[in-house]
Amino acid sequence: MRPKATPKRQLLQGNEAIVEGALAAGCTFFAGYPITPASEISEILSVRLPRQGGTFIQMEDEIASMGAIIGASLTGAKSMTATSGPGFSLMQENLGFACITEVPCVIVNVMRGGPSTGLPTNPAQGDVMQARWGTHGDHPIIVMAVSTVRDCFDITVQAFNFSEEYRVPVIVLSDEMVAHTRETVVLPSREEITVFDRIRPDMPAEWYIPYEGDSRGVPRMAAFGDGFRHHVTGLVHDPRGFPTQRPDEIDHFMHRLFKKISKNLKTIQLTKSFFLDDAEIAVVAYGSVARSAHRAVLEAREMGIRAGLLQLCTLFPFPRESVERVARQCRAIVVPEMSIGQMSREVKRVNQGFCRVEKHSRIDGQLITPDEICNRLIQLHHS
Amino acid sequence: MPKEVTKLIHKYLRHDKKFPHVWCPGCGNGIILGALIRAIDDLGLQKDEIVLASGIGCSGRMPVYVDFNTLHTTHGRALTFSTGIKMVNPDLTVIAVMGDGDATAIGGNHFIHAARRNVNLTALVINNQIYGMTGGQHSPATPYDALSTTSHYGHIEQPFPIAELAVTAGACFVARGTVYHVKLLESLIKKAVKKRGFSIVEVMSNCHIQFGRRNQLGGPVEMLKWLRSHAVRVDKAREMSAQDMAGKFTIGVLADREYPSYVEEYERVRKKARDSAHKESP
Ligand SMILES: Cc1ncc(C[n+]2csc(CCOP(=O)(O)OP(=O)(O)O)c2C)c(N)n1
Ligand code: SF4
């Protein structure tokens, strides 16, 4: 028996761990445009991807980057781009194209202060609603958030897997703090992680119906050049991929897009719970703020406050059931976030009068500290 | 219908697609599609190895009718999608068809950068000098003083010479044809598709509905005649004075040069990257 290799401890920043996650998940194509605080992802992939026969390409802007990764995915590659606020805004139209044509791809948005050029080197969480609703029209999408360097790896792998499994673009929200924090981590080996590859057609080409969902509601995906010639369009299309104006076909198509996600909510809505079993007061947090929240909960516990933390790893589809469970159980929930209150509104929306929900927002470009959150927990404890 | 034409229709048009097509009777787009199909047939390319991508506009509807791998992207972005496709599978022949607005207004940045970057793609820019699909607003190729639904008082901007723009931007192969000179168009498309590197054919076309009518240029027949009388072969143009060329445009091959294509260059990058990785971890 071969001795098991000792797990390698590495000092990595969040952006580097995202690269490791992408490569482990099988990403072979990256297109991007430089922007702080996401540039390291491009820089490292420009070194790593060509080594293994993949492609890194720096495009003329983020619109082009998004177009290129969709084209690459349609040709069979797992593809990704990475950006920050201004670039994320530019990607929205083509992101919608990926939604309607069901093209798997991963978009990393390392959030910084906005709007506009905003605060290029400060962390923020103000793009949450844009990630959900940024492209026009009704559309399903998966949005995930990372809070630690290890998360950056795991969630990126997960993002590729969801994207491939459900043929949907997946957005990974990071922020400047996670992106540039260095931590010692042990990353899992390739054997230890699960990688999902899109299901390709295995029938004769004449039988292939490119936009007919299988039992999961997800169509099989052929790559250009595979011999399954078909049409891909951003117009609403029938199962053959041809534009349609028929209300019955439109209705069927739109509902299938949503159903393939809603049928699998349990698998997709990932959360982490800390000390929630007996909690009376809970924090609901995501991204780098979840780390401060974790710390705050520990401190509050030391003071005898029964506090807990629900960390959201999947932001959308919004993990309604998990949040509702916490709202039913606890007296109060505090939602700290580096935005004016985007996620707290979601929490309030699902809280049908079960408990008190308070936001704790910071929009001065500074990280929310454990002390701040702990103080809120103390206040809520005494009220 | 001649037997040859019927044969090509059977071979290349999609039979499961609901016809009729969306184009107005007499639109130049059909002539261009015909030339493209004949060029591809002549080159002996397999349908499976062709990707026909497009942007948005009347021109953008071309791919849906033909039995290739087809992709109808977003307005102006066909070349960006095509870049991703070609880099993942360089064996595919990737052709992007675009309108003049599509390629040089909203997609102008992608257009010049695709020419500069030199990925092996073929761009087919259908220049009907107007925004056809949206109802006849002026485009970057609309002539000075022309009338459009957004230039009621005469257009006050100068048009882009699209092919010349591509020459300056660095495209390997640049040609201009018209929907009148069909045989020439076919041969230009063939050359462009065969070319390694970024190639572009600008096709002067007629939109009698949105451009011709408003500018008293007549119907399709009159507009084709106009194209005939205003097109000058490149070699002939060289001998003509600027004065004689005023209001006219050149047709034929404007540039044909050799640069290493991005696909080949990137293969070199991959090799260098592998070699340096070996050095790092012996
Ligand atoms: C982002 C965006 N803006 C505007 C439009 C509306 N639009 C559709 S086609 C078109 C112009 C088409 O003109 P051209 O590219 O010259 O092609 P043609 O229709 O003449 O073939 C415009 C502006 C759009 N589809 N997307
Ligand atoms: S509007 Fe013009 S470009 Fe569009 S189909 Fe009609 S004639 Fe052709």
Side-chain angles (χ1 to χ4, degrees):
Chain A
M1 208 175 96
R2 273 224 323 252
K4 228 174 148 192
T6 36
K8 201 167 118 210
R9 291 164 65 81
Q10 289 172 279
L11 184 66
L12 293 180
Q13 56 163 229
N15 279 347
E16 289 168 329
I18 284 181
V19 168
E20 297 304 330
L23 294 174
C27 173
T28 56
F29 186 95
F30 180 97
Y33 188 80
I35 189 166
T36 305
S39 294
E40 293 86 359
I41 299 174
S42 286
E43 289 164 6
I44 303 166
L45 281 168
S46 77
V47 175
R48 299 282 296 277
L49 275 172
R51 277 188 193 170
Q52 46 191 66
T55 305
F56 162 88
I57 187 166
Q58 182 171 312
M59 296 300 286
E60 53 274 18
D61 59 27
E62 289 85 351
I63 302 173
S65 305
M66 194 63 216
I69 70 164
I70 296 172
S73 184
L74 283 167
T75 316
K78 291 191 186 180
S79 64
M80 177 171 97
T81 185
T83 187
S84 187
F88 192 52
S89 294
L90 287 183
M91 289 177 181
Q92 296 304 327
E93 191 199 7
N94 280 343
L95 180 60
F97 185 91
C99 291
I100 200 170
T101 53
E102 301 174 73
V103 173
C105 53
V106 173
I107 300 98
V108 177
N109 174 9
V110 185
M111 292 185 284
R112 63 189 221 183
S116 190
T117 311
L119 296 161
T121 56
N122 293 55
Q125 295 179 313
D127 302 351
V128 167
M129 282 299 158
Q130 189 190 19
R132 175 62 192 91
W133 294 112
T135 196
H136 59 280
D138 281 322
H139 62 279
I141 200 154
I142 297 176
V143 182
M144 309 190 76
V146 293
S147 76
T148 61
V149 171
R150 175 62 201 254
D151 254 8
C152 286
F153 179 90
D154 295 339
I155 298 273
T156 304
V157 172
Q158 192 58 256
F160 271 97
N161 285 350
F162 283 161
S163 178
E164 293 283 316
E165 185 163 4
Y166 304 115
R167 289 191 60 174
V168 64
V170 178
I171 293 162
V172 176
L173 292 179
S174 177
D175 61 61
E176 195 278 334
M177 196 54 76
V178 185
H180 291 153
T181 301
R182 283 187 187 279
E183 287 183 87
T184 306
V185 282
V186 178
L187 298 182
S189 68
R190 297 283 162 105
E191 296 76 50
E192 287 168 294
I193 59 168
T194 311
V195 167
F196 192 99
D197 296 333
R198 67 191 65 172
I199 300 176
R200 298 192 174 224
D202 54 4
M203 65 286 279
E206 314 83 76
W207 294 7
Y208 180 51
I209 302 176
Y211 285 92
E212 183 180 64
D214 62 10
S215 57
R216 305 166 304 142
V218 186
R220 291 179 171 238
M221 187 164 178
F224 285 155
D226 273 359
F228 295 87
R229 294 187 303 277
H230 63 285
H231 186 59
V232 179
T233 176
L235 289 163
V236 171
H237 38 271
D238 65 18
R240 298 208 159 265
F242 298 133
T244 181
Q245 299 264 14
R246 267 175 50 184
D248 59 330
E249 286 181 340
I250 299 169
D251 193 68
H252 175 79
F253 172 73
M254 291 302 292
H255 279 104
R256 182 178 62 71
L257 282 192
F258 280 94
K259 255 189 226 149
K260 67 181 184 183
I261 302 298
S262 60
K263 264 170 69 176
N264 295 289
L265 288 181
K266 285 223 157 51
T267 325
I268 298 171
Q269 292 169 328
L270 303 178
T271 59
K272 289 182 193 166
S273 302
F274 301 95
F275 311 106
L276 276 176
D277 286 348
D278 65 342
E280 284 178 355
I281 302 170
V283 186
V284 174
Y286 59 96
S288 57
V289 176
R291 299 185 81 159
S292 299
H294 190 259
R295 189 67 210 244
V297 166
L298 284 175
E299 282 169 16
R301 286 254 159 196
E302 271 171 28
M303 292 174 213
I305 301 171
R306 298 217 316 245
L309 166 66
L310 179 70
Q311 180 188 338
L312 309 181
C313 302
T314 303
L315 303 188
F316 297 102
F318 185 68
R320 180 185 194 113
E321 270 190 28
S322 309
V323 173
E324 209 175 274
R325 209 174 307 122
V326 174
R328 281 177 189 276
Q329 174 191 322
C330 296
R331 215 155 43 77
I333 290 178
V334 58
V335 188
E337 57 183 330
M338 294 183 285
S339 81
I340 197 74
Q342 299 193 12
M343 206 33 102
S344 60
R345 288 182 108 187
E346 285 298 287
V347 176
K348 284 181 181 160
R349 184 172 63 81
V350 306
N351 171 44
Q352 307 278 330
F354 303 127
C355 76
R356 178 167 165 192
V357 176
E358 292 199 357
K359 67 173 184 174
H360 178 88
S361 63
R362 245 190 123 144
I363 47 172
D364 60 354
Q366 302 306 305
L367 187 65
I368 297 178
T369 62
D371 278 357
E372 279 175 64
I373 301 172
C374 192
N375 286 340
R376 290 301 291 253
L377 291 173
I378 296 168
Q379 278 169 19
L380 286 169
H381 178 67
H382 291 302
S383 61
Chain B
M1 209 178 280
K3 237 171 91 191
E4 275 306 299
V5 177
T6 318
K7 217 180 82 195
L8 290 180
I9 288 177
H10 286 175
K11 183 164 172 196
Y12 291 101
L13 294 193
R14 278 187 167 131
H15 307 294
D16 49 355
K17 167 76 189 83
K18 298 153 214 159
F19 278 87
H21 55 70
V22 297
W23 296 324
C24 310
C27 174
N29 286 348
I31 299 174
I32 299 166
L33 178 57
L36 175 66
I37 286 174
R38 288 189 297 275
I40 285 171
D41 196 64
D42 258 16
L43 287 171
L45 294 166
Q46 296 304 306
K47 293 194 281 187
D48 278 336
E49 61 190 14
I50 295 170
V51 178
L52 185 61
S54 69
I56 299 288
C58 296
S59 48
R61 298 302 182 98
M62 189 176 285
V64 71
Y65 303 116
V66 272
D67 188 18
F68 302 131
N69 302 287
T70 55
L71 173 64
H72 181 210
T73 71
T74 45
H75 192 25
R77 321 298 177 197
L79 290 171
T80 71
F81 287 68
S82 302
T83 299
I85 294 167
K86 186 71 185 182
M87 289 311 293
V88 171
N89 187 350
D91 293 338
L92 293 171
T93 295
V94 185
I95 303 167
V97 52
M98 297 168 284
D100 46 317
D102 200 36
T104 67
I106 194 163
N109 200 30
H110 309 310
F111 183 67
I112 54 174
H113 286 284
R116 178 187 63 79
R117 189 177 289 123
N118 203 25
V119 178
N120 315 18
L121 306 169
T122 299
L124 216 52
V125 181
I126 303 183
N127 183 357
N128 57 16
Q129 304 176 291
I130 200 80
Y131 285 179
M133 176 152 271
T134 39
Q137 300 82 4
H138 64 76
S139 88
T142 301
Y144 180 78
D145 216 25
L147 300 178
S148 75
T149 51
T150 47
S151 59
H152 278 285
Y153 308 107
H155 192 40
I156 56 173
E157 301 170 27
Q158 296 295 330
F160 264 145
I162 297 176
E164 283 79 359
L165 177 67
V167 174
T168 311
C172 268
F173 179 90
V174 182
R176 191 188 282 116
T178 83
V179 289
Y180 175 81
H181 307 83
V182 183
K183 274 283 158 208
L184 173 71
L185 180 60
E186 234 177 273
S187 80
L188 294 176
I189 296 175
K190 262 164 50 182
K191 283 185 187 143
V193 171
K194 271 205 302 210
K195 184 77 186 179
R196 264 203 302 185
F198 186 78
S199 60
I200 164 209
V201 180
E202 176 189 0
V203 192
M204 301 303 292
S205 184
N206 63 298
C207 173
H208 46 287
I209 299 296
Q210 300 295 3
F211 185 69
R213 203 157 49 180
R214 198 163 285 115
N215 289 285
Q216 272 96 46
L217 295 172
V221 175
E222 290 73 26
M223 288 188 81
L224 288 192
K225 283 184 179 156
W226 185 93
L227 288 173
R228 180 182 62 185
S229 58
H230 287 73
V232 182
R233 302 251 173 186
V234 174
D235 38 359
K236 203 171 156 211
R238 275 193 211 107
E239 290 153 20
M240 285 167 64
S241 66
Q243 208 175 3
D244 289 343
M245 275 303 289
K248 301 197 165 156
F249 58 88
T250 51
I251 53 170
V253 178
L254 275 70
D256 189 355
R257 43 202 177 182
E258 298 293 332
Y259 306 125
S261 79
Y262 191 92
V263 173
E264 292 158 296
E265 291 280 25
Y266 202 77
E267 244 341 293
R268 247 176 7 91
V269 170
R270 288 190 184 118
K271 190 173 174 310
K272 275 190 184 172
R274 269 190 219 109
D275 291 349
S276 74
H278 282 311
K279 267 183 219 135
E280 274 169 38
S281 54

